[in-house]
Amino acid sequence: MGSNEQRLIHWLIPRLLRLRQTNFYQIVQHTLMLTFPFILIGSFSQIIQLTVLTKTGFIASIFHLASWVPYYQYLHYPFDNLTALTLNAVAVIAAFGAAKYHAHIHHRDEQLAGLTAALALLVIAYQYTDQVQLGIFDPTLIGTNGFTGALLIGGATGTCFKWLSRPVKRTQPATGGDILARTFGSLLPMLVVLVVALLIGLSWQWFVLVTSSHDVWLGLQKWAWASHSIGVTFLMALLTLVLEIMGFAGPYQQRLVANSPSMTANLNYALTHHSAYHVPYPYTADTLYHAFGTFGGTGMLLALVIAIFIGSNQHNRHVVARWGLVPTLFNSNGPILTGLPVLYNPIYLIPFVLAPLVNMGIAALAFAWDWLPPVVYPVPTGTPGPLIAFIGTNGNVVALLLGIADLALSVLIYWPFMRLSEQLSVAADQQSFKRQSVEGGVTHAD
Amino acid sequence: MRIKPNWPRRWRSLFILILGLGLLGLLIGPSYHWTQANVRSMTGRHDSRLSPIIMIPGSSATQNRFDALVTQLNKTDKRKHSLIKLTVKTDDQIQASGSLRPRDNEPIIVVGFQNNHDGYGNIKKQARWFSLAFKYLAKNYQFNNFKAIGHSNGGLIYTYFFEHYFDRDDISVKRIMTIGSPYNFSESNLSHKTQMLADFIKYRHNLPTQATVYSVAGTENYDSDGLVPARSVEAGKYVYQGQVKHYTEITVTGTKAQHSSLPQNEQIVTLIQTYMLDKQPKRKLAGVSATVN
């Protein structure tokens, strides 16, 4: 494997280095790191909320928590709150970060730029309604699915500050007059950003009202979940995976339909015949994608965590993987997506898409050859990936073995890309270190 | 440029990994038990032939409201339906009396409320209390379908319950009969919609689409049963028609067509018998595979 890999690395390193040195990459990197701790806290809170403190959650179900834990029905409230304001509001932090680092690079007032971008996102996500309700911000815009939108808003705000305000001197300590001058200097871009955000927000509302595009999207999601053609299932899974790594939400990302018609038909068939073999719709989102393609959340990231544990030499990755293990065991992929990062990372695009699809393909073959019955029985929320098929087939041992084999196979799929990413970052660090010392010398000579 | 692995760090990570996978392994056993028990209970419910009739009396009536009706039904039916009565107290406690006789697949269950007052606010409360009673019934009796009968406000409570509380996918309602239910309260002009009727229409999309609904009106003269205007009963079509599988309006006149006598009206007893009760299985066919069509 040596020479080919070396050649590939030699070809990739200059390109990656060039990418790394762009402002864009720097800003995205920094922003992802800024959101990571919030996502980590939010993911832990969400896991507790969904698997332990929700009656239909995994831990709650198998240990029958609802029947013996005192005050069980009230315990989830603090975690609802924590999750809502960390994980489900993380785009606000991303908008803040993107604008702040953008302004930092161009020597503009970074605090004001960041706060303005965060506010601008909230202005756009504001839902105009004449009813008093609690969630007044559009959850898809301020949650993890709004990541890319937030980066765009942050970037636009930073650009606005770059064009419309003067550079600030970072001479400390600043006097009162300096601060006042800075504030007034930033007033114009702030106003422009907020007014534009208002207009975008209003026209977005109008657009959604007029075209009912929200309903169209919901319809697509419902259709995707209800579909039982093997081709559509694979296509929708592919779409979901590609969209997810680019920071958007795909059709399979949320389990909207608790009971799609195909799932109900399958379950009824299995209950009537006392066997899950030969159900009417064996190849659906539930039987294939959810049961075999989401170990550790979208993209089989549990496999990447294991690959890092076994083969990585970088301290940072080990730390991220250790913190991310528990969330990925319960299918929450946020910490790994932003911590490594996997999000926007072209190296991981191939395994991120490939691993789930390969596993789905194996599962489809196993169904076709009657190795195991399709996954038709209910599975609690947050069930660890390798156990989903086991529970969903009423405890079929082959399903458990297939789950473990799938996990091992996914580790193998992720392995070379994990190594590649590692070698690239080591090589890139070395080169950029060299270049920095050279550039450093030049600056001193100026 | 091979870097020497940092072994202590790697061992630490591997230790955590083994811990994590060990945890996963420990969860296999409980998972197995849970899914086996879950599938067993689902199968039990799915295979169950129990199909109760659940009745809700109108305002100011108790769980004993339908005693006469049940006696009449049993007499003409020559079957003895078990009678189970529940009362939901204002503090959400449920009191039950009566029991299911063995081999009775069609018990009659009456749900009354301690607070049985009239008014939209009370109907909302009673619908919530009914949802508690329904949960109790679903837990204690394994049935996968039932028939609903509501007299007067009972029909309104049912409507509110179906629109706001009923979301079981393992239990379906086959038939609904509301008897003299004033969907527009005492308002006989249909262009004056009460708040309750407006709400019923607003949330009608939640009504069960597979159910067959009968709305029975009684009339003493041409426009009222003495208490509820016939037009108010008729307003039920704006709620149910086009949303449920079938919606049928029936008007009963003659003796005992007064609002409160409706549950004892012979015509209505016959209607319940014909439309609501399941057809009597022919006993001799049990165990015989060939059936005569």
Side-chain angles (χ1 to χ4, degrees), chain B residues 40 46 63 67 72 78 86 108-110 126 143 151 159 168 171 187-188 193-194 213 256 259-260 270 280 284:
Chain B
R40 209 178 308 125
H46 185 269
Q63 67 280 5
D67 286 4
Q72 268 174 290
K78 297 194 182 61
L86 303 188
I108 293 171
I109 300 167
V110 181
Q126 286 151 4
F143 57 93
H151 173 227
T159 308
R168 306 271 307 212
I171 301 179
E187 182 63 58
S188 56
K193 289 193 178 70
T194 58
V213 180
K256 286 197 195 160
H259 183 74
S260 304
T270 313
Q280 254 170 319
K284 283 179 185 163

PDB file of all heavy atoms in Angstrom, chain B residues 40 46 63 67 72 78 86 108-110 126 143 151 159 168 171 187-188 193-194 213 256 259-260 270 280 284:
ATOM      1  N   ARG B  40     -44.784 -10.039  22.925  1.00  0.00           N
ATOM      2  CA  ARG B  40     -45.810 -10.918  23.474  1.00  0.00           C
ATOM      3  C   ARG B  40     -47.085 -10.125  23.771  1.00  0.00           C
ATOM      4  O   ARG B  40     -48.190 -10.540  23.431  1.00  0.00           O
ATOM      5  CB  ARG B  40     -45.296 -11.591  24.754  1.00  0.00           C
ATOM      6  CG  ARG B  40     -45.916 -12.964  24.998  1.00  0.00           C
ATOM      7  CD  ARG B  40     -45.322 -13.607  26.254  1.00  0.00           C
ATOM      8  NE  ARG B  40     -43.873 -13.638  26.244  1.00  0.00           N
ATOM      9  CZ  ARG B  40     -43.095 -13.134  27.208  1.00  0.00           C
ATOM     10  NH1 ARG B  40     -43.638 -12.551  28.257  1.00  0.00           N
ATOM     11  NH2 ARG B  40     -41.783 -13.219  27.133  1.00  0.00           N
ATOM     12  N   HIS B  46     -53.211  -8.091  19.699  1.00  0.00           N
ATOM     13  CA  HIS B  46     -53.580  -8.270  18.293  1.00  0.00           C
ATOM     14  C   HIS B  46     -54.522  -9.453  18.133  1.00  0.00           C
ATOM     15  O   HIS B  46     -55.468  -9.412  17.359  1.00  0.00           O
ATOM     16  CB  HIS B  46     -52.307  -8.469  17.468  1.00  0.00           C
ATOM     17  CG  HIS B  46     -52.558  -8.551  16.001  1.00  0.00           C
ATOM     18  ND1 HIS B  46     -52.777  -9.737  15.355  1.00  0.00           N
ATOM     19  CD2 HIS B  46     -52.643  -7.585  15.063  1.00  0.00           C
ATOM     20  CE1 HIS B  46     -52.979  -9.494  14.078  1.00  0.00           C
ATOM     21  NE2 HIS B  46     -52.897  -8.200  13.868  1.00  0.00           N
ATOM     22  N   GLN B  63     -72.518   6.828  36.452  1.00  0.00           N
ATOM     23  CA  GLN B  63     -72.134   5.598  35.771  1.00  0.00           C
ATOM     24  C   GLN B  63     -73.280   4.583  35.707  1.00  0.00           C
ATOM     25  O   GLN B  63     -73.205   3.594  35.010  1.00  0.00           O
ATOM     26  CB  GLN B  63     -70.902   4.985  36.457  1.00  0.00           C
ATOM     27  CG  GLN B  63     -71.117   4.470  37.856  1.00  0.00           C
ATOM     28  CD  GLN B  63     -71.087   5.591  38.896  1.00  0.00           C
ATOM     29  OE1 GLN B  63     -70.992   6.770  38.575  1.00  0.00           O
ATOM     30  NE2 GLN B  63     -71.194   5.211  40.164  1.00  0.00           N
ATOM     31  N   ASP B  67     -77.993   1.486  33.031  1.00  0.00           N
ATOM     32  CA  ASP B  67     -78.406   0.190  33.590  1.00  0.00           C
ATOM     33  C   ASP B  67     -79.642  -0.362  32.876  1.00  0.00           C
ATOM     34  O   ASP B  67     -79.679  -1.529  32.481  1.00  0.00           O
ATOM     35  CB  ASP B  67     -78.690   0.328  35.093  1.00  0.00           C
ATOM     36  CG  ASP B  67     -77.413   0.464  35.891  1.00  0.00           C
ATOM     37  OD1 ASP B  67     -76.333   0.525  35.228  1.00  0.00           O
ATOM     38  OD2 ASP B  67     -77.461   0.527  37.125  1.00  0.00           O
ATOM     39  N   GLN B  72     -82.228  -4.019  28.968  1.00  0.00           N
ATOM     40  CA  GLN B  72     -83.032  -4.207  27.760  1.00  0.00           C
ATOM     41  C   GLN B  72     -82.239  -4.933  26.676  1.00  0.00           C
ATOM     42  O   GLN B  72     -82.752  -5.825  26.010  1.00  0.00           O
ATOM     43  CB  GLN B  72     -83.474  -2.838  27.229  1.00  0.00           C
ATOM     44  CG  GLN B  72     -84.821  -2.399  27.776  1.00  0.00           C
ATOM     45  CD  GLN B  72     -85.129  -0.993  27.342  1.00  0.00           C
ATOM     46  OE1 GLN B  72     -84.486  -0.059  27.819  1.00  0.00           O
ATOM     47  NE2 GLN B  72     -86.081  -0.832  26.447  1.00  0.00           N
ATOM     48  N   LYS B  78     -80.415 -11.951  24.307  1.00  0.00           N
ATOM     49  CA  LYS B  78     -80.227 -13.271  24.906  1.00  0.00           C
ATOM     50  C   LYS B  78     -78.755 -13.584  25.138  1.00  0.00           C
ATOM     51  O   LYS B  78     -78.319 -14.718  25.105  1.00  0.00           O
ATOM     52  CB  LYS B  78     -80.880 -14.357  24.051  1.00  0.00           C
ATOM     53  CG  LYS B  78     -82.386 -14.172  23.959  1.00  0.00           C
ATOM     54  CD  LYS B  78     -83.056 -15.404  23.426  1.00  0.00           C
ATOM     55  CE  LYS B  78     -84.544 -15.193  23.294  1.00  0.00           C
ATOM     56  NZ  LYS B  78     -84.880 -14.105  22.348  1.00  0.00           N
ATOM     57  N   LEU B  86     -66.965   2.494  35.578  1.00  0.00           N
ATOM     58  CA  LEU B  86     -65.835   3.265  36.108  1.00  0.00           C
ATOM     59  C   LEU B  86     -66.328   4.656  36.472  1.00  0.00           C
ATOM     60  O   LEU B  86     -67.196   5.207  35.804  1.00  0.00           O
ATOM     61  CB  LEU B  86     -64.718   3.431  35.070  1.00  0.00           C
ATOM     62  CG  LEU B  86     -64.066   2.216  34.436  1.00  0.00           C
ATOM     63  CD1 LEU B  86     -62.884   2.672  33.600  1.00  0.00           C
ATOM     64  CD2 LEU B  86     -63.591   1.254  35.496  1.00  0.00           C
ATOM     65  N   ILE B 108     -69.933  -4.413  28.277  1.00  0.00           N
ATOM     66  CA  ILE B 108     -70.337  -3.015  28.190  1.00  0.00           C
ATOM     67  C   ILE B 108     -69.672  -2.278  29.353  1.00  0.00           C
ATOM     68  O   ILE B 108     -69.755  -2.707  30.504  1.00  0.00           O
ATOM     69  CB  ILE B 108     -71.873  -2.880  28.246  1.00  0.00           C
ATOM     70  CG1 ILE B 108     -72.448  -3.493  26.974  1.00  0.00           C
ATOM     71  CG2 ILE B 108     -72.275  -1.418  28.375  1.00  0.00           C
ATOM     72  CD1 ILE B 108     -73.943  -3.621  26.979  1.00  0.00           C
ATOM     73  N   ILE B 109     -68.960  -1.210  29.004  1.00  0.00           N
ATOM     74  CA  ILE B 109     -68.229  -0.462  30.015  1.00  0.00           C
ATOM     75  C   ILE B 109     -68.797   0.952  30.046  1.00  0.00           C
ATOM     76  O   ILE B 109     -68.928   1.595  29.005  1.00  0.00           O
ATOM     77  CB  ILE B 109     -66.723  -0.426  29.683  1.00  0.00           C
ATOM     78  CG1 ILE B 109     -66.167  -1.855  29.630  1.00  0.00           C
ATOM     79  CG2 ILE B 109     -65.963   0.412  30.700  1.00  0.00           C
ATOM     80  CD1 ILE B 109     -64.797  -1.952  29.021  1.00  0.00           C
ATOM     81  N   VAL B 110     -69.183   1.414  31.235  1.00  0.00           N
ATOM     82  CA  VAL B 110     -69.743   2.763  31.352  1.00  0.00           C
ATOM     83  C   VAL B 110     -68.762   3.611  32.158  1.00  0.00           C
ATOM     84  O   VAL B 110     -68.290   3.196  33.207  1.00  0.00           O
ATOM     85  CB  VAL B 110     -71.116   2.733  32.056  1.00  0.00           C
ATOM     86  CG1 VAL B 110     -71.687   4.132  32.136  1.00  0.00           C
ATOM     87  CG2 VAL B 110     -72.064   1.807  31.322  1.00  0.00           C
ATOM     88  N   GLN B 126     -63.741  16.603  31.247  1.00  0.00           N
ATOM     89  CA  GLN B 126     -64.250  15.234  31.258  1.00  0.00           C
ATOM     90  C   GLN B 126     -63.570  14.397  30.174  1.00  0.00           C
ATOM     91  O   GLN B 126     -63.324  13.206  30.368  1.00  0.00           O
ATOM     92  CB  GLN B 126     -65.783  15.257  31.073  1.00  0.00           C
ATOM     93  CG  GLN B 126     -66.497  15.726  32.330  1.00  0.00           C
ATOM     94  CD  GLN B 126     -67.823  16.415  32.034  1.00  0.00           C
ATOM     95  OE1 GLN B 126     -68.261  16.488  30.893  1.00  0.00           O
ATOM     96  NE2 GLN B 126     -68.459  16.933  33.079  1.00  0.00           N
ATOM     97  N   PHE B 143     -57.822  -5.345  24.542  1.00  0.00           N
ATOM     98  CA  PHE B 143     -58.695  -5.298  23.371  1.00  0.00           C
ATOM     99  C   PHE B 143     -58.002  -4.474  22.298  1.00  0.00           C
ATOM    100  O   PHE B 143     -57.205  -3.595  22.611  1.00  0.00           O
ATOM    101  CB  PHE B 143     -60.062  -4.724  23.722  1.00  0.00           C
ATOM    102  CG  PHE B 143     -60.039  -3.355  24.331  1.00  0.00           C
ATOM    103  CD1 PHE B 143     -60.162  -2.223  23.548  1.00  0.00           C
ATOM    104  CD2 PHE B 143     -59.898  -3.193  25.712  1.00  0.00           C
ATOM    105  CE1 PHE B 143     -60.153  -0.959  24.121  1.00  0.00           C
ATOM    106  CE2 PHE B 143     -59.880  -1.935  26.291  1.00  0.00           C
ATOM    107  CZ  PHE B 143     -60.003  -0.816  25.493  1.00  0.00           C
ATOM    108  N   HIS B 151     -74.190   9.396  25.128  1.00  0.00           N
ATOM    109  CA  HIS B 151     -75.506  10.013  25.175  1.00  0.00           C
ATOM    110  C   HIS B 151     -75.338  11.480  25.532  1.00  0.00           C
ATOM    111  O   HIS B 151     -74.591  11.818  26.449  1.00  0.00           O
ATOM    112  CB  HIS B 151     -76.382   9.307  26.216  1.00  0.00           C
ATOM    113  CG  HIS B 151     -77.702   9.989  26.446  1.00  0.00           C
ATOM    114  ND1 HIS B 151     -78.200  10.255  27.699  1.00  0.00           N
ATOM    115  CD2 HIS B 151     -78.627  10.458  25.568  1.00  0.00           C
ATOM    116  CE1 HIS B 151     -79.369  10.862  27.580  1.00  0.00           C
ATOM    117  NE2 HIS B 151     -79.640  11.002  26.293  1.00  0.00           N
ATOM    118  N   THR B 159     -66.195  13.152  21.157  1.00  0.00           N
ATOM    119  CA  THR B 159     -65.645  13.902  20.027  1.00  0.00           C
ATOM    120  C   THR B 159     -64.358  14.608  20.435  1.00  0.00           C
ATOM    121  O   THR B 159     -63.348  14.548  19.734  1.00  0.00           O
ATOM    122  CB  THR B 159     -66.678  14.927  19.523  1.00  0.00           C
ATOM    123  OG1 THR B 159     -67.897  14.250  19.289  1.00  0.00           O
ATOM    124  CG2 THR B 159     -66.200  15.588  18.252  1.00  0.00           C
ATOM    125  N   ARG B 168     -53.820   5.960  19.979  1.00  0.00           N
ATOM    126  CA  ARG B 168     -53.279   4.597  20.061  1.00  0.00           C
ATOM    127  C   ARG B 168     -53.261   3.993  18.664  1.00  0.00           C
ATOM    128  O   ARG B 168     -54.251   4.082  17.939  1.00  0.00           O
ATOM    129  CB  ARG B 168     -54.179   3.721  20.951  1.00  0.00           C
ATOM    130  CG  ARG B 168     -54.436   4.257  22.312  1.00  0.00           C
ATOM    131  CD  ARG B 168     -53.423   3.824  23.308  1.00  0.00           C
ATOM    132  NE  ARG B 168     -53.214   2.386  23.361  1.00  0.00           N
ATOM    133  CZ  ARG B 168     -52.887   1.759  24.479  1.00  0.00           C
ATOM    134  NH1 ARG B 168     -52.802   2.419  25.606  1.00  0.00           N
ATOM    135  NH2 ARG B 168     -52.633   0.472  24.468  1.00  0.00           N
ATOM    136  N   ILE B 171     -55.036   0.179  19.103  1.00  0.00           N
ATOM    137  CA  ILE B 171     -56.459   0.048  19.402  1.00  0.00           C
ATOM    138  C   ILE B 171     -57.225   0.935  18.426  1.00  0.00           C
ATOM    139  O   ILE B 171     -56.864   2.077  18.213  1.00  0.00           O
ATOM    140  CB  ILE B 171     -56.775   0.493  20.850  1.00  0.00           C
ATOM    141  CG1 ILE B 171     -55.983  -0.358  21.839  1.00  0.00           C
ATOM    142  CG2 ILE B 171     -58.266   0.389  21.132  1.00  0.00           C
ATOM    143  CD1 ILE B 171     -56.207   0.024  23.278  1.00  0.00           C
ATOM    144  N   GLU B 187     -77.956  26.071  20.613  1.00  0.00           N
ATOM    145  CA  GLU B 187     -78.110  27.005  19.492  1.00  0.00           C
ATOM    146  C   GLU B 187     -78.728  26.257  18.308  1.00  0.00           C
ATOM    147  O   GLU B 187     -78.166  25.272  17.833  1.00  0.00           O
ATOM    148  CB  GLU B 187     -76.712  27.541  19.130  1.00  0.00           C
ATOM    149  CG  GLU B 187     -76.674  28.564  18.026  1.00  0.00           C
ATOM    150  CD  GLU B 187     -77.432  29.826  18.389  1.00  0.00           C
ATOM    151  OE1 GLU B 187     -77.098  30.446  19.395  1.00  0.00           O
ATOM    152  OE2 GLU B 187     -78.382  30.165  17.639  1.00  0.00           O
ATOM    153  N   SER B 188     -79.874  26.715  17.845  1.00  0.00           N
ATOM    154  CA  SER B 188     -80.501  25.982  16.744  1.00  0.00           C
ATOM    155  C   SER B 188     -80.137  26.579  15.391  1.00  0.00           C
ATOM    156  O   SER B 188     -80.334  25.953  14.361  1.00  0.00           O
ATOM    157  CB  SER B 188     -82.019  25.945  16.924  1.00  0.00           C
ATOM    158  OG  SER B 188     -82.479  27.266  17.025  1.00  0.00           O
ATOM    159  N   LYS B 193     -72.139  29.552  15.195  1.00  0.00           N
ATOM    160  CA  LYS B 193     -71.390  28.410  15.718  1.00  0.00           C
ATOM    161  C   LYS B 193     -70.865  28.741  17.105  1.00  0.00           C
ATOM    162  O   LYS B 193     -70.262  29.781  17.314  1.00  0.00           O
ATOM    163  CB  LYS B 193     -70.203  28.088  14.796  1.00  0.00           C
ATOM    164  CG  LYS B 193     -70.617  27.483  13.477  1.00  0.00           C
ATOM    165  CD  LYS B 193     -69.399  26.894  12.775  1.00  0.00           C
ATOM    166  CE  LYS B 193     -69.782  26.236  11.474  1.00  0.00           C
ATOM    167  NZ  LYS B 193     -70.199  27.216  10.445  1.00  0.00           N
ATOM    168  N   THR B 194     -71.081  27.804  18.041  1.00  0.00           N
ATOM    169  CA  THR B 194     -70.502  28.004  19.362  1.00  0.00           C
ATOM    170  C   THR B 194     -69.000  27.739  19.275  1.00  0.00           C
ATOM    171  O   THR B 194     -68.513  27.129  18.315  1.00  0.00           O
ATOM    172  CB  THR B 194     -71.110  27.029  20.387  1.00  0.00           C
ATOM    173  OG1 THR B 194     -70.866  25.708  19.916  1.00  0.00           O
ATOM    174  CG2 THR B 194     -72.595  27.248  20.557  1.00  0.00           C
ATOM    175  N   VAL B 213     -69.841   6.246  11.885  1.00  0.00           N
ATOM    176  CA  VAL B 213     -70.459   7.069  12.918  1.00  0.00           C
ATOM    177  C   VAL B 213     -71.958   7.186  12.676  1.00  0.00           C
ATOM    178  O   VAL B 213     -72.401   7.402  11.541  1.00  0.00           O
ATOM    179  CB  VAL B 213     -69.824   8.479  12.942  1.00  0.00           C
ATOM    180  CG1 VAL B 213     -70.475   9.339  14.016  1.00  0.00           C
ATOM    181  CG2 VAL B 213     -68.329   8.374  13.190  1.00  0.00           C
ATOM    182  N   LYS B 256     -91.216   8.153  24.036  1.00  0.00           N
ATOM    183  CA  LYS B 256     -89.877   8.133  24.629  1.00  0.00           C
ATOM    184  C   LYS B 256     -88.851   8.791  23.703  1.00  0.00           C
ATOM    185  O   LYS B 256     -87.698   8.366  23.644  1.00  0.00           O
ATOM    186  CB  LYS B 256     -89.436   6.703  24.943  1.00  0.00           C
ATOM    187  CG  LYS B 256     -90.146   6.115  26.145  1.00  0.00           C
ATOM    188  CD  LYS B 256     -89.374   4.909  26.629  1.00  0.00           C
ATOM    189  CE  LYS B 256     -90.203   4.063  27.574  1.00  0.00           C
ATOM    190  NZ  LYS B 256     -89.675   2.705  27.674  1.00  0.00           N
ATOM    191  N   HIS B 259     -85.499  13.868  25.292  1.00  0.00           N
ATOM    192  CA  HIS B 259     -84.044  13.792  25.404  1.00  0.00           C
ATOM    193  C   HIS B 259     -83.557  12.758  26.413  1.00  0.00           C
ATOM    194  O   HIS B 259     -82.736  11.903  26.100  1.00  0.00           O
ATOM    195  CB  HIS B 259     -83.487  15.173  25.757  1.00  0.00           C
ATOM    196  CG  HIS B 259     -82.000  15.218  25.816  1.00  0.00           C
ATOM    197  ND1 HIS B 259     -81.224  15.198  24.666  1.00  0.00           N
ATOM    198  CD2 HIS B 259     -81.139  15.245  26.846  1.00  0.00           C
ATOM    199  CE1 HIS B 259     -79.956  15.239  25.007  1.00  0.00           C
ATOM    200  NE2 HIS B 259     -79.863  15.262  26.323  1.00  0.00           N
ATOM    201  N   SER B 260     -84.092  12.810  27.634  1.00  0.00           N
ATOM    202  CA  SER B 260     -83.552  11.946  28.686  1.00  0.00           C
ATOM    203  C   SER B 260     -84.029  10.508  28.553  1.00  0.00           C
ATOM    204  O   SER B 260     -83.436   9.596  29.126  1.00  0.00           O
ATOM    205  CB  SER B 260     -83.954  12.479  30.059  1.00  0.00           C
ATOM    206  OG  SER B 260     -83.530  13.812  30.174  1.00  0.00           O
ATOM    207  N   THR B 270     -82.973  -1.014  19.532  1.00  0.00           N
ATOM    208  CA  THR B 270     -82.857  -1.822  18.316  1.00  0.00           C
ATOM    209  C   THR B 270     -81.711  -1.326  17.437  1.00  0.00           C
ATOM    210  O   THR B 270     -80.958  -2.125  16.861  1.00  0.00           O
ATOM    211  CB  THR B 270     -84.175  -1.760  17.514  1.00  0.00           C
ATOM    212  OG1 THR B 270     -85.243  -1.967  18.419  1.00  0.00           O
ATOM    213  CG2 THR B 270     -84.195  -2.795  16.416  1.00  0.00           C
ATOM    214  N   GLN B 280     -73.711 -12.058  16.440  1.00  0.00           N
ATOM    215  CA  GLN B 280     -73.482 -13.207  17.308  1.00  0.00           C
ATOM    216  C   GLN B 280     -72.791 -14.329  16.540  1.00  0.00           C
ATOM    217  O   GLN B 280     -73.259 -14.718  15.474  1.00  0.00           O
ATOM    218  CB  GLN B 280     -74.810 -13.731  17.840  1.00  0.00           C
ATOM    219  CG  GLN B 280     -75.007 -13.388  19.282  1.00  0.00           C
ATOM    220  CD  GLN B 280     -76.403 -13.697  19.720  1.00  0.00           C
ATOM    221  OE1 GLN B 280     -77.360 -13.446  19.008  1.00  0.00           O
ATOM    222  NE2 GLN B 280     -76.519 -14.267  20.894  1.00  0.00           N
ATOM    223  N   LYS B 284     -72.001 -23.311  17.118  1.00  0.00           N
ATOM    224  CA  LYS B 284     -71.688 -24.667  16.664  1.00  0.00           C
ATOM    225  C   LYS B 284     -70.503 -24.689  15.720  1.00  0.00           C
ATOM    226  O   LYS B 284     -69.893 -25.711  15.486  1.00  0.00           O
ATOM    227  CB  LYS B 284     -72.912 -25.281  15.979  1.00  0.00           C
ATOM    228  CG  LYS B 284     -73.933 -25.736  16.996  1.00  0.00           C
ATOM    229  CD  LYS B 284     -75.142 -26.326  16.339  1.00  0.00           C
ATOM    230  CE  LYS B 284     -76.181 -26.653  17.402  1.00  0.00           C
ATOM    231  NZ  LYS B 284     -77.487 -26.853  16.810  1.00  0.00           N
TER     232      LYS B 284
END
